[in-house]
Each structure stands twice: as structure tokens, then as C-alpha cells.
Amino acid sequence: MTTESRRLPVPEGPSAEAFRAFFETVELPAALCDTQLRLLLGNNAFARFCFDHGLTVEQMMEGLAEARRLPEDGAGCVVEVPLPQGGVVVMELARRGDSLSVVGRRESELMRGQLVVVEQALLEQARTEGVLLDLGRSVAEAGSEEELVAAVARGVKELFPGRSFCIRIIDARTGVLTSLYAEGRLKEGSREPLVLKRTAVEKMHLTAESIPAGRVVVAALVPLLFEGSTGGVSAPLVASGQLYGVINLEYPASLREDPDVLQDERVLVQLANQVAVAVKNAKLIDELTFVRKYLEELLEKANALILVANRDKKVVVFNQAISRLTGFSKEEVLGQDVFSLVPEDEQLRLASVLAAALRGEAVPNFELRLRTRSGEARASFATSSALTSQGEVEGVMAIGQDVTVVAQLEQRVIHAEKLASMGQLAASVAHEINNPMTAVVAYSESLLQRAMMMGSAGAADAEKLRKILESGQRILRFTRDLTSYARPAKDKVERVQLNALLDKAVGYCEHVVAQAKVKVERDYGELPPLPAVPANLEQVFVNLITNACHAMKPGGQVWLRTMREGRDAVVWVKDTGSGIEPANLSRIFEPFFTTKTEGQGTGLGLSIVQRIIEKHGGRLNVESELGQGTTFIVHLPLAD
């Protein structure tokens, strides 16, 4: 088998004539030039293109040569040739070796390119406006400055991807930095002070007074804040002529595309204006919230009765003081009719006061009975009108104090004065009794001696005279002790035998003990003398023994016990009475506090007792249990 080989014919390329014919029939305006922009070949469409734009072919080539812009081999470029009537015509050049192709861009193609650019610009503008709109909603919903800064940071990231940025918020009055957010690595010491560009300050019309000195600096250029930045822009946050902070935007070296600085600055300023208003509003809201809470706290914790009712006579403010007085909680009263707080017979007086206040008339002082959980209380109020921002009366504010306690204190003071007067009168009576009783004692003693000399004849009379003498001496001793007790005590310290002083105090209370039908038991230990003012200590133990007698029913007992504990003499005064309520135990030493019925006590006794013991360097304790009695324990320091 033999193989036959044949040469296949290779098609030849078009001839120069064929290429010229094809080139001239192409409707695209095109020409071929050398690297000196000398025309080698141009088609009819190119000649018409030049003519349509008011140029000859030669003028077109001269315009291209004057542009002096040639592409590199294998590349292309666009050259704008000025037109005689104004404007330019766009030519596209492409180089292959020593040849240049020149193609005229028709109006439709140019328009299409311009439309693409415009469309891209419009899309970018729409995106920017959308981000700013979302940002506006986010900052409006922000509940705090921290949330607001976080929302702004998200907006900056979306508007300026790949950039480093720093958001700093300050107090407009002091310039103190209140918030900072940074995306990137800040340089050391770049947090403060804030540096503003002078041209931006002038454009925003910031005055020197509105720029906090020492914390904000105005300079021709703003230094870069982030490490590795190649440039940047900034925009101050200004609203109503006040500076609230600044946003710095910087370009890291790793940024892939060349930034449009002017465009970034324009958008950043637009963003800063929107953020500044939001920051101002947020700070105003924070201040108003603080002031409101502060005022509410003042009203709530004020040591005065505060009640506010609106025009519909509904309670809108009911503070802690009036809640404690009435026993009603705020939740029970708010929204209720104010007349429900007073008895029916007081409602007419309250209505007249409210009517006057709603007319804008102040009522300086009026007393009112208030309903309480346990009965009634009396309070004194002054009212004023609560006004709206337009000056209209929207309610009534009443501020007062509890006069129930004041009235009780007045009654107790009066009773104390009465007892003091009775004490002075008793001392005078004792003095008046003392003179005739001295005569009775003297005569009875003389008669007793005569009867005893008569022997058995006068025995019956002697016994009677002896009883008269003993009773008279007892009366004289009692009046003498009573006068001594009522006499103002001197502050002279003496050495006192405590056991003997207790016996003397029991003698003063002999009538009270007998009237209460109780017994006094004594258990005295050995005690050395102690330094004290005798009359003052007598008053202490008379008061304690009297209180013990008043606290017991007939048949009760009072124990008086003394002993030494270390460097102190200790006295126990214990009764078998009903005891003291735990709620009252911490108040029994308060002046004018008493659990006795009206007229039975002033509430001053234990207060005076405690003060006397403390002046002697001692201390007074009390132990009590309901139904088991009460014990007062007195510690007095012994002499060194």
C-alpha cells in the first residue's frame, strides 16, 4: 500500500486594494496615522465626521497633534479636540507598533458614556441619601448618647468603606470628652485635644466663646489621628452655634482605590450637620431627664407634705411624707378624687380653697383634717397654682406640715408647765405646813414627857401622844425632803452613797408606791462612794421608780438591785408591768414621747433621766418584753 501526499492550498490575505475598499465602506469614522500623527489613510465617514464638527481633516489632525498625548504600544487613550464654535470632540486613539488608529466618537456614543457616568453618580447619590435617611431614623430612635454614637459609626462605615474614622462627642459648655468611637489604630495622645480646621470653623460661624479653651484647638491643618494614614478630612459637629464634637475620616495606605477627597468631604459635612442636631437633642433630652428625675426626687423625699391635683380634682402628686401621715400608699391615691382624702364635713372648705387656687389666687395658710387609716390627722397647707408654659392654670399644689404632732407637743408643754407650777405650789404648801407642824411636834413631845412622868395615870395619853409625835415628825421629814427635792439642783459634785440615795428616792415615792399598791424589794451590794450631783441622781431614780409603779397593776413588785461591775456601779430598776411595745422601745427617750394617757405624763421624764446620766459619764439601757415587765439598767462610773 502506497501513501500519496498532497499540498493543501493556503488562502491568501486580502490585497491592499481589497483592504482599502473595505476601509472606505466602513461607516465608523476612522483613520490611520503614523507616530507623528501624519494621516496615512482616512475613510469617507472620517471626512464627514470632521465636516459635521466644523473641521477639516487637516484641522482635526492638527488638533490631535496639539494634544500631544500618544498611547503606549498596545494601549489606547481618549483625546479631546477643541472645536471652533466651542466645546470639544472626543477621539479614541489606539497604537499597534508604528501605526495609530484614530476613531471619532459619535454623539450617541459620547452621550451613552456620559449617561453611564451620570447614572453611576445618581446611583451613588441615591445610596448616600438612603444611608443618611436610615442614619436619621437610627439617631432619632437612640435612647442614649452611646446608642447614638454606635448608629453614627454604622452610617460612616457604610458611606465610607475602607476608611479609618474617629467620632468624638464633647460637652458643649466644658469641652470634656463624653464619647469616643474609633475604627482603626489611634496614635498615642490623639484623643484630646480636638483640632478643628480654621476654614471649617469660619464656615460654621463658630465664635471664640463657643470653643472651650484648652480642650479644642483651631489650626490651619488637622493632624492625622491614625497610624499608617496617608490623608484625611474632618467635619465639626455644630448645632445652634455650639460645638458638640468632630468626625475625622482618614485614608489608610491599604485603601485599594484612589479616594475622591472632595466628594468624601462634601458627604462628611452633610453627615456631620445631621449628627450635630441629633447630638444636641440627645444632650438636651438627657439634661431634661436628669432635671425631671431630680425634681421628682426632691418632691418625693421632701420633709413636707406635698400634694398636687389637676383641674379635674384628681391627685397627680402624693409624696412620701403625706403617705406616711395618712397611711395610704401612692398607688392607692394617684388618680383618685382629692376630696376622698378629707372627711365629709371638710370637703366644703377644701372646695373653696381649690376654686381660689384654680383662679390663680394663692391661699397662704389653712388647716385641714385628713383621713388616715387609723382615723384623722390635722395638717396646715399653703397652696399655689400650677401653670402651663402658656401661663394657664392646670392644677393646684399644696405644701404643708403635720400639725397633729405640733398640737400634741403644745399640749404636753402646757401640761409640763402646769406640773412645774404645781411643784412650786407644793413647795410653798410644804413650807406653810412646816411651821404649824413644828409647833404640833414640839407640844406633843412636851405633853408626852409630862404623861410619862405621871406614870400609870398617864399611860393611855402617852401612847396617843407618841403616835401624834411620830406622825408630826413624818410630816416634817416629808415636807423637808420635798422642799429639798424641788429646790434647783446645784452642779456641785459630791461623794454619794448610792444605796442610801436609792432609799431616799423610795421615800419620795412612798405615796406613789402606796397608791399603786405595789411592793419595793431591795437587793443592794457593797459599793464605794461615787462622784455625783445628789439631787440630780435623786431625780433619776424617783422618775424610774414612779414609771415602774405606773406600769403595774396592784400587787406588782419593783426590784432595786445594785452591784459593782469593774469600774462601774450598776443599778437595776425592774418592774412586773405590761412591758413596752417593740415599736415604741426605740422612741421612749425622745422628748415629749409618752404612751400614757392624756394628762398622765409629759414625755419628758426619760429624756431628762438619760441626759443626767450621760452628764455623769454613765449610760442608760432598757430591756422589755410584752407581758413580762421592763428593766432599766443604769451604769455610773465609780471614783478613781
Side-chain angles (χ1 to χ4, degrees), residues 150-197:
V152 174
R154 289 193 299 270
V156 174
K157 284 182 184 179
E158 193 168 351
L159 286 172
F160 308 102
R163 277 76 160 170
S164 300
F165 64 90
C166 179
I167 304 167
R168 287 174 289 177
I169 309 297
I170 64 170
D171 184 274
R173 290 186 295 271
T174 63
V176 174
L177 189 66
T178 58
S179 295
L180 183 144
Y181 184 98
E183 193 79 19
R185 187 174 181 181
L186 287 170
K187 295 179 181 177
E188 187 70 26
S190 60
R191 295 172 178 264
E192 291 185 289
L194 272 67
V195 180
L196 305 181
K197 198 172 183 179

Side-chain angles (χ1 to χ4, degrees), residues 71-77 93-100:
E72 297 292 333
D73 189 13
C77 68
L93 278 65
R95 182 174 178 178
R96 295 293 185 272
D98 294 333
S99 298
L100 283 172

Side-chain angles (χ1 to χ4, degrees), residues 74-355:
C77 68
V78 175
V79 177
E80 294 180 348
V81 177
L83 298 176
Q85 67 273 22
V88 295
V89 63
V90 179
M91 308 298 290
E92 294 181 355
L93 278 65
R95 182 174 178 178
R96 295 293 185 272
D98 294 333
S99 298
L100 283 172
S101 66
V102 180
V103 177
R105 184 178 292 179
R106 298 183 184 277
E107 294 294 336
S108 59
E109 296 173 353
L110 180 61
M111 183 88 52
R112 189 162 51 249
Q114 293 173 344
L115 287 174
V116 170
V117 173
V118 171
E119 184 180 5
Q120 291 176 345
L122 289 175
L123 289 174
E124 181 63 24
Q125 179 65 24
R127 189 185 73 86
T128 301
E129 291 178 354
V131 173
L132 291 175
L133 184 62
D134 291 340
L135 177 61
R137 285 194 291 264
S138 298
V139 298
E141 295 172 357
S144 63
E145 186 174 304
E146 183 180 357
E147 293 179 4
L148 187 147
V149 172
V152 174
R154 289 193 299 270
V156 174
K157 284 182 184 179
E158 193 168 351
L159 286 172
F160 308 102
R163 277 76 160 170
S164 300
F165 64 90
C166 179
I167 304 167
R168 287 174 289 177
I169 309 297
I170 64 170
D171 184 274
R173 290 186 295 271
T174 63
V176 174
L177 189 66
T178 58
S179 295
L180 183 144
Y181 184 98
E183 193 79 19
R185 187 174 181 181
L186 287 170
K187 295 179 181 177
E188 187 70 26
S190 60
R191 295 172 178 264
E192 291 185 289
L194 272 67
V195 180
L196 305 181
K197 198 172 183 179
R198 184 171 289 108
T199 55
V201 171
E202 294 171 354
K203 187 181 295 185
M204 293 294 183
H205 304 291
L206 279 174
T207 62
E209 292 76 15
S210 62
I211 299 176
R215 294 187 175 275
V216 179
V217 178
V218 179
L221 294 175
V222 177
L224 297 178
L225 304 181
F226 295 93
E227 294 183 359
S229 295
T230 58
V233 293
S234 66
L237 305 179
V238 179
S240 301
Q242 289 186 304
L243 180 66
Y244 289 95
V246 65
I247 300 178
N248 293 77
L249 185 70
E250 296 184 7
Y251 308 114
S254 59
L255 194 63
R256 294 181 179 180
E257 58 183 13
D258 293 334
D260 188 342
V261 178
L262 293 177
Q263 173 67 8
D264 283 355
E265 187 172 19
R266 183 185 65 80
V267 175
L268 186 62
V269 169
Q270 188 177 356
L271 170 69
N273 291 337
Q274 186 173 344
V275 171
V277 174
V279 172
K280 174 192 171 185
N281 292 339
K283 288 188 175 292
L284 287 176
I285 291 172
D286 287 343
E287 290 179 4
L288 289 174
T289 303
F290 172 78
V291 171
R292 180 179 178 181
K293 289 183 178 179
Y294 181 72
L295 292 177
E296 288 178 350
E297 192 73 9
L298 283 180
L299 291 176
E300 185 66 17
K301 300 297 177 62
N303 190 23
L305 310 177
I306 299 178
L307 184 145
V308 179
N310 59 21
R311 291 192 66 89
D312 297 327
K313 315 298 190 302
K314 303 298 183 185
V315 179
V316 293
V317 174
F318 193 78
N319 76 337
Q320 286 183 3
I322 194 169
S323 178
R324 286 194 300 268
L325 175 63
T326 61
F328 299 123
S329 67
K330 181 187 298 186
E331 291 73 17
E332 292 177 289
V333 176
L334 291 182
Q336 300 299 317
D337 196 307
V338 69
F339 291 103
S340 64
L341 297 175
V342 299
E344 289 186 7
D345 56 346
E346 288 277 41
Q347 292 183 4
L348 186 60
R349 292 183 61 243
L350 178 59
S352 64
V353 171
L354 291 177

